[in-house]
Amino acid sequence: MPAVRYLSGQKSVAWSHRLIAVIAAAATTAGLLALAGPPAAAQTKTAHTEAAHTKAAQTNLLTNPGFEAGNLSGWTCSSLDSVVSSPAHSGSYALAGAASNSDDAQCSQTVSVQPSSNYTLSGWVEGAYVYLGESGGSDNWTPSATSWQQLTTSFSTTASTTSVTIYVHGWYGQGTYYADDLSLTGPGGGGGGGTPPGAPTGLAVTGTTSSSVSLSWTAPSGTVSGYNVYENGSQATTSTGTSATVTGLAASTTYTFTVAAYNSAGTGSQSGSVSGTTQKSSGGGGGSGGLPAHVLMGYWQDFTNGAEPLTLADVPTSYNLVAVAFGTATGTAGQVAFSIDPTLASDLGGYTQQQFTSDIATMNARGQKVILSVGGQNGTVSVDDSASASEFASSVYSLIQQWGFNGVDIDLENGVNPTYMAQALEQLSSDDPGLIITLAPQTIDMQSTGDDYFALALDIKSILTMVNIQFYNSGTMLGCDGNVYAEATENFMTALTCIEMEGGLSPSQVGLGLPASSSAAGSGYTSPSVVDDALDCLATGSSCGSFVPPSTYPSIRGAMTWSINWDASNGYNFANTVGPHLSSLP
């Protein structure tokens, strides 16, 4: 029986949002967004029907807003961006962004603003999936503008805001978009004195991980509102201080960075460059992946279904490993896409891709790892030949680079092809050695070594970090002693976990998967204290029920729960009970 991941009164509402996004994408393109939905940058997504304020009435705070300089001066843009003479909404030029499968062709500009003030941003765009917004999370988008269409959004600055970054971009794999006559109106910021700041000095690398590089520099003289940080020539992040961390990088790769200061008069010259090399990824191969000996893993929901919505940074540190649910299929066999669900983003007050990737870096700094889970109950990613295996590996690797994930979880509840999924994961591990790789099979999928999921686990044992059987929505199942056990009991957990070890997996690769509350699954909720007893029984032979395993497994890896959001709705009872107990195991 497949695991029910969307149980609640809001299931149909949440899923309808995803279905609408799928239908809209499928109607306009067979590209990357076919099943992925709108991306992280599109947070408010409410179409504006009223006209924008006229430019004649208010001062436009943007530099080169219509690209009439004939170049990209004043803007920080992707290498895929250029200025063209046709089509243009007005004047002689417009921006053209040739979005690719790995670059959304963003063009941005940082502008000084006044605190506690109101602003209106507008612009004319043409193309599929074009986004116009500002760094605080206010934006607007269009799925398909076959001719020039005006996008408008309004926002208010906080009491401490002195600058915002305005951006326009397309979306991955959607082709070339055009933008023209951009306008930001409202009270201008002060302090530039009519002169952009000088170039920062002393740029240095202060730290690295497998997916990030931290930098620091010395401020130039004069008034500075903030800094743009560039990675290999493209803007990577912004900062209001003299340090920043660039995330979402590939492991074991050298990057070149520069930084430029800006104020209300514009952006100054870039600093001298510095190079930094990311570390190798740790983990995989049955190893730790930078994780403790015993792991508490939980799923973070990238959708709403009645459980408490959370940002990644909200996840408590009791969770060592967090799986983001879910990466989804596209129109290309084997290809995986991921974007932040717009309904969730709205519920969180505007949760952007930049905030998401920054949260991953924050969690890494706290010792937590974040991986992308592929599939879910309704996941349809198909890997059943060499071509789709290669597509899976390359697309997941691209997502790891883009978002900063530490690995991947395979949760394909409609079945796997062990031959080709193993091929895909081995290619992925070769691209990023030591990547965290986890599996989330249903109980029926791990009854014998001949089952596809079990065969996959054994095939990739040398690179596998952890397998977590879903001990819920299962009914009764056979244990390793041949007897039948009912779910939601200690005997069920210990007797079925025994099958994995006796079948050839290392105990250090095996975890117990349980629902965090009675609302999280249709059946199988088990008191966290009983989960603790099962872990003790497996690790030390104590606190067992009527079933006693044939051996003890002191290195049993830990436990997984669906989901962190449901656990939050239940006062984190699962994490607060099981997490500390894992620390007490041998």
Side-chain angles (χ1 to χ4, degrees):
M1 180 182 294
V4 179
R5 287 288 168 88
Y6 306 109
L7 293 172
S8 79
Q10 298 189 25
K11 172 185 177 182
S12 60
V13 175
W15 198 250
S16 68
H17 281 292
R18 294 192 160 212
L19 184 58
I20 289 169
V22 170
I23 293 172
T28 57
T29 178
L32 189 62
L33 282 192
L35 291 176
Q43 303 302 326
T44 56
K45 305 299 187 291
T46 301
H48 293 258
T49 57
E50 69 273 16
H53 296 298
T54 61
K55 295 182 181 179
Q58 301 185 56
T59 301
N60 189 349
L61 302 180
L62 295 175
T63 299
N64 194 18
F67 305 94
E68 292 306 300
N71 54 42
L72 298 173
S73 62
W75 296 90
T76 299
C77 301
S78 162
S79 60
L80 301 179
D81 291 319
S82 62
V83 171
V84 296
S85 58
S86 179
H89 176 256
S90 69
S92 302
Y93 298 101
L95 170 70
S100 69
N101 284 340
S102 59
D103 191 329
D104 62 5
Q106 176 169 293
C107 209
S108 64
Q109 184 174 145
T110 302
V111 183
S112 292
V113 294
Q114 293 288 341
S116 304
S117 300
N118 299 323
Y119 293 85
T120 297
L121 173 66
S122 67
W124 292 85
V125 301
E126 182 178 318
Y129 289 91
V130 189
Y131 302 83
L132 177 70
E134 59 88 24
S135 54
S138 177
D139 55 19
N140 200 354
W141 71 303
T142 176
S144 179
T146 56
S147 60
W148 287 106
Q149 176 180 334
Q150 189 177 40
L151 299 179
T152 303
T153 185
S154 298
F155 61 94
S156 299
T157 54
T158 68
S160 60
T161 302
T162 58
S163 67
V164 295
T165 298
I166 302 304
Y167 62 81
V168 60
H169 64 73
W171 193 240
Y172 301 95
Q174 299 303 299
T176 300
Y177 73 91
Y178 302 94
D180 200 2
D181 297 330
L182 306 183
S183 173
L184 177 67
T185 58
T195 304
T201 58
L203 180 63
V205 173
T206 58
T208 63
T209 70
S210 61
S211 60
S212 68
V213 173
S214 296
L215 305 163
S216 69
W217 56 87
T218 301
S221 59
T223 301
V224 175
S225 300
Y227 298 89
N228 294 327
V229 179
Y230 305 91
E231 172 257 303
N232 291 353
S234 298
Q235 184 175 332
T237 189
T238 61
S239 175
T240 56
T242 56
S243 64
T245 298
V246 180
T247 61
L249 305 179
S252 303
T253 303
T254 300
Y255 295 87
T256 300
F257 302 93
T258 57
V259 61
Y262 61 83
N263 59 25
S264 60
T267 302
S269 300
Q270 295 185 25
S271 68
S273 63
V274 67
S275 294
T277 302
T278 52
Q279 300 177 16
K280 291 183 178 180
S281 291
S282 57
S288 70
L291 298 166
H294 302 292
V295 172
L296 178 61
M297 174 177 168
Y299 285 82
W300 176 86
Q301 296 181 193
D302 175 43
F303 53 87
T304 56
N305 68 343
E308 183 173 337
L310 302 168
T311 69
L312 274 178
D314 289 334
V315 176
T317 55
S318 48
Y319 282 99
N320 314 112
L321 180 58
V322 175
V324 171
F326 293 100
T328 56
T330 74
T332 301
Q335 189 177 72
V336 179
F338 174 74
S339 63
I340 299 174
D341 182 85
T343 302
L344 174 66
S346 178
D347 288 347
L348 294 173
Y351 194 35
T352 66
Q353 174 175 339
Q354 183 176 355
Q355 290 171 305
F356 184 92
T357 55
S358 177
D359 280 356
I360 291 180
T362 296
M363 296 179 75
N364 286 171
R366 298 191 310 213
Q368 297 168 286
K369 301 297 181 181
V370 183
I371 60 178
L372 177 64
S373 181
V374 176
Q377 177 191 2
N378 298 298
T380 57
V381 178
S382 177
V383 178
D384 53 15
D385 56 29
S386 293
S388 56
S390 178
E391 190 64 48
F392 179 93
S394 61
S395 62
V396 171
Y397 183 62
S398 178
L399 292 171
I400 288 171
Q401 292 179 296
Q402 177 186 347
W403 296 85
F405 294 118
N406 304 116
V408 65
D409 171 67
I410 308 301
D411 185 9
L412 296 172
E413 297 173 18
N414 293 313
V416 296
N417 182 311
T419 299
Y420 292 108
M421 181 55 76
Q423 179 179 315
L425 293 173
E426 286 164 357
Q427 178 183 328
L428 186 60
S429 179
S430 176
D431 290 338
D432 192 349
L435 203 68
I436 294 173
I437 298 175
T438 64
L439 307 179
Q442 301 169 101
T443 50
I444 192 66
D445 297 324
M446 296 292 285
Q447 285 280 280
S448 75
T449 56
D451 293 332
D452 286 346
Y453 244 111
F454 212 140
L456 171 62
L458 293 173
D459 284 347
I460 63 167
K461 183 177 178 180
S462 63
I463 58 173
L464 176 65
T465 305
M466 191 174 182
V467 178
N468 299 289
I469 297 185
Q470 300 175 26
F471 288 144
Y472 43 96
N473 300 327
S474 303
T476 58
M477 289 285 166
L478 292 172
C480 65
D481 60 353
N483 292 322
V484 176
Y485 295 96
E487 66 180 348
T489 65
E490 180 182 1
N491 286 341
F492 183 86
M493 291 183 283
T494 53
L496 270 71
T497 301
C498 165
I499 295 174
E500 296 181 73
M501 273 85 77
E502 298 303 307
L505 291 176
S506 166
S508 64
Q509 296 175 307
V510 176
L512 287 62
L514 285 307
S517 73
S518 57
S519 299
S523 64
Y525 174 70
T526 309
S527 169
S529 63
V530 177
V531 178
D532 286 351
D533 288 342
L535 289 166
D536 283 340
C537 178
L538 291 164
T540 66
S542 63
S543 303
C544 293
S546 60
F547 172 80
V548 178
S551 303
T552 58
Y553 313 104
S555 63
I556 187 78
R557 199 57 190 269
M560 171 274 282
T561 190
W562 178 267
S563 67
I564 297 170
N565 304 75
W566 283 116
D567 197 20
S569 299
N570 199 34
Y572 288 113
N573 187 37
F574 193 93
N576 292 338
T577 302
V578 178
H581 193 74
L582 285 168
S583 300
S584 71
L585 296 181

